[in-house]
mmCIF file of all heavy atoms in Angstrom:
data_model
loop_
_atom_site.group_PDB
_atom_site.id
_atom_site.type_symbol
_atom_site.label_atom_id
_atom_site.label_comp_id
_atom_site.label_asym_id
_atom_site.label_seq_id
_atom_site.Cartn_x
_atom_site.Cartn_y
_atom_site.Cartn_z
ATOM 1 N N SER A 1 -82.937 -48.069 -49.841
ATOM 2 C CA SER A 1 -82.699 -47.021 -50.844
ATOM 3 C C SER A 1 -82.335 -45.704 -50.177
ATOM 4 O O SER A 1 -81.460 -44.968 -50.641
ATOM 5 C CB SER A 1 -83.940 -46.832 -51.721
ATOM 6 O OG SER A 1 -84.267 -48.014 -52.413
ATOM 7 N N VAL A 2 -83.021 -45.413 -49.076
ATOM 8 C CA VAL A 2 -82.723 -44.193 -48.318
ATOM 9 C C VAL A 2 -81.313 -44.260 -47.743
ATOM 10 O O VAL A 2 -80.555 -43.285 -47.790
ATOM 11 C CB VAL A 2 -83.757 -44.000 -47.182
ATOM 12 C CG1 VAL A 2 -83.339 -42.860 -46.260
ATOM 13 C CG2 VAL A 2 -85.141 -43.730 -47.771
ATOM 14 N N LEU A 3 -80.940 -45.419 -47.221
ATOM 15 C CA LEU A 3 -79.597 -45.596 -46.648
ATOM 16 C C LEU A 3 -78.523 -45.395 -47.709
ATOM 17 O O LEU A 3 -77.474 -44.797 -47.431
ATOM 18 C CB LEU A 3 -79.477 -46.986 -46.024
ATOM 19 C CG LEU A 3 -80.276 -47.237 -44.744
ATOM 20 C CD1 LEU A 3 -80.184 -48.702 -44.328
ATOM 21 C CD2 LEU A 3 -79.807 -46.335 -43.621
ATOM 22 N N ASP A 4 -78.761 -45.863 -48.929
ATOM 23 C CA ASP A 4 -77.786 -45.673 -50.008
ATOM 24 C C ASP A 4 -77.541 -44.193 -50.271
ATOM 25 O O ASP A 4 -76.395 -43.761 -50.446
ATOM 26 C CB ASP A 4 -78.288 -46.349 -51.293
ATOM 27 C CG ASP A 4 -78.202 -47.865 -51.227
ATOM 28 O OD1 ASP A 4 -77.481 -48.386 -50.355
ATOM 29 O OD2 ASP A 4 -78.882 -48.527 -52.044
ATOM 30 N N VAL A 5 -78.613 -43.405 -50.289
ATOM 31 C CA VAL A 5 -78.482 -41.965 -50.515
ATOM 32 C C VAL A 5 -77.746 -41.303 -49.354
ATOM 33 O O VAL A 5 -76.858 -40.462 -49.556
ATOM 34 C CB VAL A 5 -79.873 -41.327 -50.707
ATOM 35 C CG1 VAL A 5 -79.775 -39.805 -50.714
ATOM 36 C CG2 VAL A 5 -80.514 -41.821 -51.993
ATOM 37 N N MET A 6 -78.095 -41.688 -48.145
ATOM 38 C CA MET A 6 -77.447 -41.101 -46.971
ATOM 39 C C MET A 6 -75.962 -41.452 -46.910
ATOM 40 O O MET A 6 -75.133 -40.632 -46.489
ATOM 41 C CB MET A 6 -78.162 -41.558 -45.698
ATOM 42 C CG MET A 6 -79.592 -41.029 -45.579
ATOM 43 S SD MET A 6 -80.481 -41.673 -44.140
ATOM 44 C CE MET A 6 -79.627 -40.846 -42.789
ATOM 45 N N ARG A 7 -75.610 -42.653 -47.360
ATOM 46 C CA ARG A 7 -74.194 -43.041 -47.381
ATOM 47 C C ARG A 7 -73.415 -42.195 -48.378
ATOM 48 O O ARG A 7 -72.248 -41.848 -48.143
ATOM 49 C CB ARG A 7 -74.064 -44.533 -47.731
ATOM 50 C CG ARG A 7 -74.569 -45.474 -46.631
ATOM 51 C CD ARG A 7 -74.268 -46.922 -46.972
ATOM 52 N NE ARG A 7 -74.903 -47.840 -46.019
ATOM 53 C CZ ARG A 7 -75.974 -48.582 -46.285
ATOM 54 N NH1 ARG A 7 -76.537 -48.517 -47.491
ATOM 55 N NH2 ARG A 7 -76.490 -49.377 -45.379
ATOM 56 N N LYS A 8 -74.045 -41.859 -49.515
ATOM 57 C CA LYS A 8 -73.388 -40.988 -50.496
ATOM 58 C C LYS A 8 -73.163 -39.596 -49.911
ATOM 59 O O LYS A 8 -72.107 -38.985 -50.141
ATOM 60 C CB LYS A 8 -74.234 -40.913 -51.769
ATOM 61 C CG LYS A 8 -74.276 -42.211 -52.564
ATOM 62 C CD LYS A 8 -75.175 -42.088 -53.786
ATOM 63 C CE LYS A 8 -75.250 -43.404 -54.543
ATOM 64 N NZ LYS A 8 -76.173 -43.329 -55.717
ATOM 65 N N VAL A 9 -74.144 -39.099 -49.172
ATOM 66 C CA VAL A 9 -73.989 -37.800 -48.519
ATOM 67 C C VAL A 9 -72.886 -37.867 -47.471
ATOM 68 O O VAL A 9 -72.063 -36.952 -47.341
ATOM 69 C CB VAL A 9 -75.320 -37.352 -47.880
ATOM 70 C CG1 VAL A 9 -75.127 -36.058 -47.091
ATOM 71 C CG2 VAL A 9 -76.396 -37.156 -48.944
ATOM 72 N N GLU A 10 -72.844 -38.963 -46.725
ATOM 73 C CA GLU A 10 -71.787 -39.140 -45.720
ATOM 74 C C GLU A 10 -70.412 -39.166 -46.381
ATOM 75 O O GLU A 10 -69.455 -38.562 -45.878
ATOM 76 C CB GLU A 10 -72.025 -40.425 -44.941
ATOM 77 C CG GLU A 10 -70.992 -40.658 -43.835
ATOM 78 C CD GLU A 10 -71.185 -41.979 -43.123
ATOM 79 O OE1 GLU A 10 -71.673 -42.943 -43.767
ATOM 80 O OE2 GLU A 10 -70.835 -42.068 -41.934
ATOM 81 N N HIS A 11 -70.296 -39.852 -47.507
ATOM 82 C CA HIS A 11 -69.023 -39.915 -48.230
ATOM 83 C C HIS A 11 -68.588 -38.520 -48.681
ATOM 84 O O HIS A 11 -67.406 -38.156 -48.566
ATOM 85 C CB HIS A 11 -69.174 -40.842 -49.444
ATOM 86 C CG HIS A 11 -67.908 -41.031 -50.228
ATOM 87 N ND1 HIS A 11 -66.809 -41.700 -49.738
ATOM 88 C CD2 HIS A 11 -67.566 -40.609 -51.488
ATOM 89 C CE1 HIS A 11 -65.847 -41.700 -50.642
ATOM 90 N NE2 HIS A 11 -66.283 -41.031 -51.708
ATOM 91 N N GLU A 12 -69.532 -37.729 -49.195
ATOM 92 C CA GLU A 12 -69.222 -36.361 -49.593
ATOM 93 C C GLU A 12 -68.795 -35.529 -48.385
ATOM 94 O O GLU A 12 -67.896 -34.686 -48.482
ATOM 95 C CB GLU A 12 -70.440 -35.733 -50.278
ATOM 96 C CG GLU A 12 -70.302 -34.254 -50.618
ATOM 97 C CD GLU A 12 -69.210 -33.965 -51.630
ATOM 98 O OE1 GLU A 12 -68.770 -34.908 -52.334
ATOM 99 O OE2 GLU A 12 -68.788 -32.799 -51.720
ATOM 100 N N MET A 13 -69.433 -35.764 -47.249
ATOM 101 C CA MET A 13 -69.073 -35.048 -46.017
ATOM 102 C C MET A 13 -67.617 -35.314 -45.651
ATOM 103 O O MET A 13 -66.857 -34.383 -45.342
ATOM 104 C CB MET A 13 -69.999 -35.487 -44.880
ATOM 105 C CG MET A 13 -69.674 -34.860 -43.524
ATOM 106 S SD MET A 13 -70.838 -35.396 -42.229
ATOM 107 C CE MET A 13 -70.299 -37.114 -42.010
ATOM 108 N N TYR A 14 -67.183 -36.581 -45.709
ATOM 109 C CA TYR A 14 -65.805 -36.917 -45.373
ATOM 110 C C TYR A 14 -64.823 -36.339 -46.394
ATOM 111 O O TYR A 14 -63.723 -35.895 -46.022
ATOM 112 C CB TYR A 14 -65.644 -38.434 -45.288
ATOM 113 C CG TYR A 14 -66.407 -39.066 -44.144
ATOM 114 C CD1 TYR A 14 -66.998 -40.317 -44.278
ATOM 115 C CD2 TYR A 14 -66.534 -38.402 -42.925
ATOM 116 C CE1 TYR A 14 -67.696 -40.894 -43.229
ATOM 117 C CE2 TYR A 14 -67.238 -38.971 -41.870
ATOM 118 C CZ TYR A 14 -67.818 -40.213 -42.028
ATOM 119 O OH TYR A 14 -68.516 -40.780 -40.984
ATOM 120 N N ASN A 15 -65.204 -36.329 -47.672
ATOM 121 C CA ASN A 15 -64.347 -35.722 -48.696
ATOM 122 C C ASN A 15 -64.130 -34.243 -48.415
ATOM 123 O O ASN A 15 -63.012 -33.720 -48.564
ATOM 124 C CB ASN A 15 -64.967 -35.896 -50.086
ATOM 125 C CG ASN A 15 -64.830 -37.312 -50.618
ATOM 126 O OD1 ASN A 15 -63.981 -38.074 -50.150
ATOM 127 N ND2 ASN A 15 -65.653 -37.671 -51.586
ATOM 128 N N ARG A 16 -65.193 -33.559 -48.031
ATOM 129 C CA ARG A 16 -65.077 -32.127 -47.740
ATOM 130 C C ARG A 16 -64.239 -31.889 -46.487
ATOM 131 O O ARG A 16 -63.432 -30.950 -46.445
ATOM 132 C CB ARG A 16 -66.469 -31.516 -47.566
ATOM 133 C CG ARG A 16 -67.277 -31.467 -48.847
ATOM 134 C CD ARG A 16 -68.618 -30.782 -48.634
ATOM 135 N NE ARG A 16 -69.381 -30.673 -49.875
ATOM 136 C CZ ARG A 16 -70.450 -29.913 -50.022
ATOM 137 N NH1 ARG A 16 -70.911 -29.185 -48.994
ATOM 138 N NH2 ARG A 16 -71.086 -29.857 -51.175
ATOM 139 N N GLN A 17 -64.424 -32.717 -45.489
ATOM 140 C CA GLN A 17 -63.629 -32.569 -44.274
ATOM 141 C C GLN A 17 -62.145 -32.770 -44.567
ATOM 142 O O GLN A 17 -61.278 -32.055 -44.039
ATOM 143 C CB GLN A 17 -64.113 -33.559 -43.214
ATOM 144 C CG GLN A 17 -65.471 -33.202 -42.632
ATOM 145 C CD GLN A 17 -66.010 -34.286 -41.711
ATOM 146 O OE1 GLN A 17 -65.735 -35.467 -41.903
ATOM 147 N NE2 GLN A 17 -66.795 -33.887 -40.722
ATOM 148 N N ASN A 18 -61.842 -33.734 -45.422
ATOM 149 C CA ASN A 18 -60.450 -33.973 -45.795
ATOM 150 C C ASN A 18 -59.883 -32.797 -46.581
ATOM 151 O O ASN A 18 -58.738 -32.377 -46.362
ATOM 152 C CB ASN A 18 -60.356 -35.254 -46.621
ATOM 153 C CG ASN A 18 -58.927 -35.601 -46.974
ATOM 154 O OD1 ASN A 18 -58.105 -35.902 -46.108
ATOM 155 N ND2 ASN A 18 -58.605 -35.560 -48.265
ATOM 156 N N ALA A 19 -60.712 -32.243 -47.493
ATOM 157 C CA ALA A 19 -60.257 -31.094 -48.275
ATOM 158 C C ALA A 19 -59.991 -29.891 -47.384
ATOM 159 O O ALA A 19 -59.001 -29.163 -47.581
ATOM 160 C CB ALA A 19 -61.302 -30.748 -49.335
ATOM 161 N N LEU A 20 -60.835 -29.678 -46.392
ATOM 162 C CA LEU A 20 -60.627 -28.570 -45.461
ATOM 163 C C LEU A 20 -59.332 -28.763 -44.666
ATOM 164 O O LEU A 20 -58.571 -27.813 -44.447
ATOM 165 C CB LEU A 20 -61.820 -28.453 -44.501
ATOM 166 C CG LEU A 20 -63.098 -27.841 -45.075
ATOM 167 C CD1 LEU A 20 -64.263 -28.023 -44.106
ATOM 168 C CD2 LEU A 20 -62.898 -26.363 -45.371
ATOM 169 N N PHE A 21 -59.068 -29.991 -44.260
ATOM 170 C CA PHE A 21 -57.853 -30.265 -43.483
ATOM 171 C C PHE A 21 -56.596 -30.057 -44.324
ATOM 172 O O PHE A 21 -55.584 -29.526 -43.844
ATOM 173 C CB PHE A 21 -57.891 -31.702 -42.952
ATOM 174 C CG PHE A 21 -56.713 -32.064 -42.104
ATOM 175 C CD1 PHE A 21 -56.627 -31.633 -40.788
ATOM 176 C CD2 PHE A 21 -55.673 -32.826 -42.626
ATOM 177 C CE1 PHE A 21 -55.526 -31.955 -40.014
ATOM 178 C CE2 PHE A 21 -54.578 -33.155 -41.853
ATOM 179 C CZ PHE A 21 -54.500 -32.720 -40.538
ATOM 180 N N GLU A 22 -56.668 -30.459 -45.598
ATOM 181 C CA GLU A 22 -55.488 -30.394 -46.461
ATOM 182 C C GLU A 22 -55.228 -28.988 -46.999
ATOM 183 O O GLU A 22 -54.071 -28.584 -47.152
ATOM 184 C CB GLU A 22 -55.662 -31.361 -47.644
ATOM 185 C CG GLU A 22 -55.721 -32.836 -47.260
ATOM 186 C CD GLU A 22 -54.400 -33.360 -46.722
ATOM 187 O OE1 GLU A 22 -53.352 -32.750 -47.042
ATOM 188 O OE2 GLU A 22 -54.413 -34.363 -45.985
ATOM 189 N N LYS A 23 -56.279 -28.217 -47.276
ATOM 190 C CA LYS A 23 -56.114 -26.977 -48.028
ATOM 191 C C LYS A 23 -56.119 -25.700 -47.194
ATOM 192 O O LYS A 23 -55.639 -24.667 -47.651
ATOM 193 C CB LYS A 23 -57.216 -26.876 -49.101
ATOM 194 C CG LYS A 23 -57.133 -27.970 -50.152
ATOM 195 C CD LYS A 23 -58.249 -27.843 -51.178
ATOM 196 C CE LYS A 23 -58.154 -28.951 -52.227
ATOM 197 N NZ LYS A 23 -59.238 -28.844 -53.237
ATOM 198 N N THR A 24 -56.689 -25.736 -46.005
ATOM 199 C CA THR A 24 -56.799 -24.492 -45.243
ATOM 200 C C THR A 24 -55.737 -24.387 -44.164
ATOM 201 O O THR A 24 -55.283 -25.406 -43.618
ATOM 202 C CB THR A 24 -58.195 -24.368 -44.606
ATOM 203 O OG1 THR A 24 -58.293 -23.104 -43.937
ATOM 204 C CG2 THR A 24 -58.414 -25.475 -43.585
ATOM 205 N N GLN A 25 -55.336 -23.160 -43.885
ATOM 206 C CA GLN A 25 -54.418 -22.884 -42.781
ATOM 207 C C GLN A 25 -55.149 -22.320 -41.572
ATOM 208 O O GLN A 25 -54.545 -22.072 -40.535
ATOM 209 C CB GLN A 25 -53.338 -21.887 -43.238
ATOM 210 C CG GLN A 25 -52.477 -22.399 -44.389
ATOM 211 C CD GLN A 25 -51.706 -23.654 -44.011
ATOM 212 O OE1 GLN A 25 -51.129 -23.743 -42.926
ATOM 213 N NE2 GLN A 25 -51.701 -24.633 -44.907
ATOM 214 N N ARG A 26 -56.451 -22.133 -41.737
ATOM 215 C CA ARG A 26 -57.251 -21.568 -40.648
ATOM 216 C C ARG A 26 -57.659 -22.670 -39.684
ATOM 217 O O ARG A 26 -57.833 -23.830 -40.055
ATOM 218 C CB ARG A 26 -58.483 -20.875 -41.206
ATOM 219 C CG ARG A 26 -58.168 -19.711 -42.132
ATOM 220 C CD ARG A 26 -59.417 -19.200 -42.817
ATOM 221 N NE ARG A 26 -60.421 -18.761 -41.851
ATOM 222 C CZ ARG A 26 -61.650 -18.410 -42.181
ATOM 223 N NH1 ARG A 26 -62.032 -18.459 -43.446
ATOM 224 N NH2 ARG A 26 -62.497 -18.024 -41.254
ATOM 225 N N VAL A 27 -57.815 -22.290 -38.438
ATOM 226 C CA VAL A 27 -58.264 -23.254 -37.434
ATOM 227 C C VAL A 27 -59.773 -23.418 -37.505
ATOM 228 O O VAL A 27 -60.297 -24.532 -37.539
ATOM 229 C CB VAL A 27 -57.830 -22.814 -36.016
ATOM 230 C CG1 VAL A 27 -58.420 -23.760 -34.963
ATOM 231 C CG2 VAL A 27 -56.313 -22.788 -35.912
ATOM 232 N N SER A 28 -60.492 -22.285 -37.529
ATOM 233 C CA SER A 28 -61.957 -22.322 -37.628
ATOM 234 C C SER A 28 -62.363 -22.005 -39.057
ATOM 235 O O SER A 28 -62.090 -20.914 -39.568
ATOM 236 C CB SER A 28 -62.578 -21.304 -36.669
ATOM 237 O OG SER A 28 -62.263 -21.623 -35.324
ATOM 238 N N THR A 29 -63.001 -22.951 -39.716
ATOM 239 C CA THR A 29 -63.383 -22.772 -41.109
ATOM 240 C C THR A 29 -64.584 -23.654 -41.409
ATOM 241 O O THR A 29 -65.082 -24.373 -40.542
ATOM 242 C CB THR A 29 -62.212 -23.113 -42.052
ATOM 243 O OG1 THR A 29 -62.562 -22.791 -43.397
ATOM 244 C CG2 THR A 29 -61.857 -24.589 -41.959
ATOM 245 N N ASP A 30 -65.061 -23.581 -42.646
ATOM 246 C CA ASP A 30 -66.148 -24.469 -43.065
ATOM 247 C C ASP A 30 -66.116 -24.622 -44.572
ATOM 248 O O ASP A 30 -65.192 -24.163 -45.243
ATOM 249 C CB ASP A 30 -67.517 -23.973 -42.579
ATOM 250 C CG ASP A 30 -67.863 -22.589 -43.078
ATOM 251 O OD1 ASP A 30 -67.597 -22.289 -44.266
ATOM 252 O OD2 ASP A 30 -68.407 -21.783 -42.296
ATOM 253 N N TYR A 31 -67.135 -25.256 -45.120
ATOM 254 C CA TYR A 31 -67.198 -25.630 -46.526
ATOM 255 C C TYR A 31 -67.061 -24.460 -47.489
ATOM 256 O O TYR A 31 -66.654 -24.626 -48.648
ATOM 257 C CB TYR A 31 -68.523 -26.347 -46.800
ATOM 258 C CG TYR A 31 -69.738 -25.454 -46.658
ATOM 259 C CD1 TYR A 31 -70.349 -24.872 -47.764
ATOM 260 C CD2 TYR A 31 -70.272 -25.169 -45.404
ATOM 261 C CE1 TYR A 31 -71.452 -24.042 -47.629
ATOM 262 C CE2 TYR A 31 -71.373 -24.348 -45.259
ATOM 263 C CZ TYR A 31 -71.952 -23.789 -46.372
ATOM 264 O OH TYR A 31 -73.043 -22.964 -46.232
ATOM 265 N N ARG A 32 -67.373 -23.258 -47.045
ATOM 266 C CA ARG A 32 -67.328 -22.102 -47.934
ATOM 267 C C ARG A 32 -65.914 -21.781 -48.378
ATOM 268 O O ARG A 32 -65.711 -21.200 -49.448
ATOM 269 C CB ARG A 32 -67.977 -20.895 -47.249
ATOM 270 C CG ARG A 32 -69.477 -21.056 -47.028
ATOM 271 C CD ARG A 32 -70.058 -19.961 -46.161
ATOM 272 N NE ARG A 32 -69.554 -20.034 -44.789
ATOM 273 C CZ ARG A 32 -69.931 -19.231 -43.800
ATOM 274 N NH1 ARG A 32 -70.822 -18.272 -44.046
ATOM 275 N NH2 ARG A 32 -69.433 -19.366 -42.588
ATOM 276 N N GLU A 33 -64.921 -22.160 -47.577
ATOM 277 C CA GLU A 33 -63.531 -21.865 -47.936
ATOM 278 C C GLU A 33 -63.068 -22.700 -49.130
ATOM 279 O O GLU A 33 -62.131 -22.304 -49.838
ATOM 280 C CB GLU A 33 -62.609 -22.095 -46.739
ATOM 281 C CG GLU A 33 -61.199 -21.604 -46.994
ATOM 282 C CD GLU A 33 -60.336 -21.562 -45.751
ATOM 283 O OE1 GLU A 33 -60.886 -21.655 -44.636
ATOM 284 O OE2 GLU A 33 -59.108 -21.432 -45.891
ATOM 285 N N ILE A 34 -63.693 -23.841 -49.363
ATOM 286 C CA ILE A 34 -63.326 -24.663 -50.522
ATOM 287 C C ILE A 34 -64.357 -24.513 -51.637
ATOM 288 O O ILE A 34 -64.432 -25.336 -52.556
ATOM 289 C CB ILE A 34 -63.160 -26.147 -50.124
ATOM 290 C CG1 ILE A 34 -64.432 -26.675 -49.451
ATOM 291 C CG2 ILE A 34 -61.953 -26.336 -49.223
ATOM 292 C CD1 ILE A 34 -64.392 -28.167 -49.175
ATOM 293 N N SER A 35 -65.168 -23.453 -51.548
ATOM 294 C CA SER A 35 -66.164 -23.099 -52.579
ATOM 295 C C SER A 35 -67.159 -24.218 -52.851
ATOM 296 O O SER A 35 -67.571 -24.442 -53.995
ATOM 297 C CB SER A 35 -65.455 -22.709 -53.888
ATOM 298 O OG SER A 35 -64.603 -21.601 -53.681
ATOM 299 N N ALA A 36 -67.544 -24.928 -51.805
ATOM 300 C CA ALA A 36 -68.553 -25.982 -51.941
ATOM 301 C C ALA A 36 -69.938 -25.403 -51.669
ATOM 302 O O ALA A 36 -70.086 -24.410 -50.957
ATOM 303 C CB ALA A 36 -68.264 -27.123 -50.970
ATOM 304 N N ARG A 37 -70.949 -26.002 -52.269
ATOM 305 C CA ARG A 37 -72.326 -25.602 -52.032
ATOM 306 C C ARG A 37 -72.883 -26.394 -50.851
ATOM 307 O O ARG A 37 -72.553 -27.576 -50.678
ATOM 308 C CB ARG A 37 -73.186 -25.865 -53.271
ATOM 309 C CG ARG A 37 -72.982 -24.882 -54.394
ATOM 310 C CD ARG A 37 -73.588 -25.387 -55.697
ATOM 311 N NE ARG A 37 -75.026 -25.627 -55.590
ATOM 312 C CZ ARG A 37 -75.967 -24.709 -55.789
ATOM 313 N NH1 ARG A 37 -75.605 -23.473 -56.078
ATOM 314 N NH2 ARG A 37 -77.252 -25.015 -55.723
ATOM 315 N N PRO A 38 -73.731 -25.774 -50.041
ATOM 316 C CA PRO A 38 -74.354 -26.547 -48.960
ATOM 317 C C PRO A 38 -75.269 -27.622 -49.521
ATOM 318 O O PRO A 38 -75.826 -27.474 -50.614
ATOM 319 C CB PRO A 38 -75.145 -25.488 -48.181
ATOM 320 C CG PRO A 38 -75.395 -24.388 -49.171
ATOM 321 C CD PRO A 38 -74.192 -24.373 -50.074
ATOM 322 N N ILE A 39 -75.387 -28.712 -48.803
ATOM 323 C CA ILE A 39 -76.286 -29.801 -49.172
ATOM 324 C C ILE A 39 -77.352 -29.920 -48.094
ATOM 325 O O ILE A 39 -77.035 -30.089 -46.912
ATOM 326 C CB ILE A 39 -75.532 -31.135 -49.314
ATOM 327 C CG1 ILE A 39 -74.507 -31.059 -50.448
ATOM 328 C CG2 ILE A 39 -76.513 -32.287 -49.565
ATOM 329 C CD1 ILE A 39 -73.628 -32.290 -50.557
ATOM 330 N N PHE A 40 -78.614 -29.810 -48.503
ATOM 331 C CA PHE A 40 -79.730 -29.926 -47.571
ATOM 332 C C PHE A 40 -80.436 -31.255 -47.819
ATOM 333 O O PHE A 40 -80.922 -31.508 -48.918
ATOM 334 C CB PHE A 40 -80.714 -28.774 -47.755
ATOM 335 C CG PHE A 40 -80.132 -27.409 -47.471
ATOM 336 C CD1 PHE A 40 -79.558 -26.654 -48.495
ATOM 337 C CD2 PHE A 40 -80.139 -26.889 -46.191
ATOM 338 C CE1 PHE A 40 -79.024 -25.408 -48.243
ATOM 339 C CE2 PHE A 40 -79.598 -25.642 -45.924
ATOM 340 C CZ PHE A 40 -79.043 -24.900 -46.948
ATOM 341 N N LEU A 41 -80.466 -32.086 -46.798
ATOM 342 C CA LEU A 41 -81.137 -33.379 -46.897
ATOM 343 C C LEU A 41 -82.471 -33.286 -46.171
ATOM 344 O O LEU A 41 -82.520 -33.198 -44.947
ATOM 345 C CB LEU A 41 -80.262 -34.473 -46.277
ATOM 346 C CG LEU A 41 -80.837 -35.899 -46.258
ATOM 347 C CD1 LEU A 41 -81.116 -36.386 -47.669
ATOM 348 C CD2 LEU A 41 -79.898 -36.856 -45.530
ATOM 349 N N PHE A 42 -83.559 -33.273 -46.937
ATOM 350 C CA PHE A 42 -84.905 -33.187 -46.386
ATOM 351 C C PHE A 42 -85.464 -34.598 -46.210
ATOM 352 O O PHE A 42 -85.450 -35.396 -47.153
ATOM 353 C CB PHE A 42 -85.822 -32.401 -47.322
ATOM 354 C CG PHE A 42 -85.700 -30.912 -47.218
ATOM 355 C CD1 PHE A 42 -84.568 -30.263 -47.679
ATOM 356 C CD2 PHE A 42 -86.724 -30.155 -46.649
ATOM 357 C CE1 PHE A 42 -84.446 -28.879 -47.582
ATOM 358 C CE2 PHE A 42 -86.614 -28.775 -46.548
ATOM 359 C CZ PHE A 42 -85.468 -28.137 -47.009
ATOM 360 N N ILE A 43 -85.968 -34.901 -45.014
ATOM 361 C CA ILE A 43 -86.611 -36.186 -44.750
ATOM 362 C C ILE A 43 -87.991 -35.910 -44.173
ATOM 363 O O ILE A 43 -88.116 -35.411 -43.048
ATOM 364 C CB ILE A 43 -85.793 -37.052 -43.776
ATOM 365 C CG1 ILE A 43 -84.366 -37.259 -44.297
ATOM 366 C CG2 ILE A 43 -86.481 -38.392 -43.562
ATOM 367 C CD1 ILE A 43 -83.485 -38.089 -43.374
ATOM 368 N N ASP A 44 -89.025 -36.211 -44.944
ATOM 369 C CA ASP A 44 -90.397 -35.999 -44.493
ATOM 370 C C ASP A 44 -90.921 -37.260 -43.813
ATOM 371 O O ASP A 44 -90.589 -38.383 -44.214
ATOM 372 C CB ASP A 44 -91.275 -35.636 -45.687
ATOM 373 C CG ASP A 44 -92.625 -35.065 -45.270
ATOM 374 O OD1 ASP A 44 -92.795 -34.779 -44.063
ATOM 375 O OD2 ASP A 44 -93.503 -34.909 -46.136
#
């Protein structure tokens, strides 16, 4: 069950990376340029 959740987070990570590559002209950038919210994965 934990792996399923982590895979969904990984999929979102790749989607954001693709969006950054396609939409930005900057070399150094991050998720804020595509107006995404940070995702915090807590594992106790």
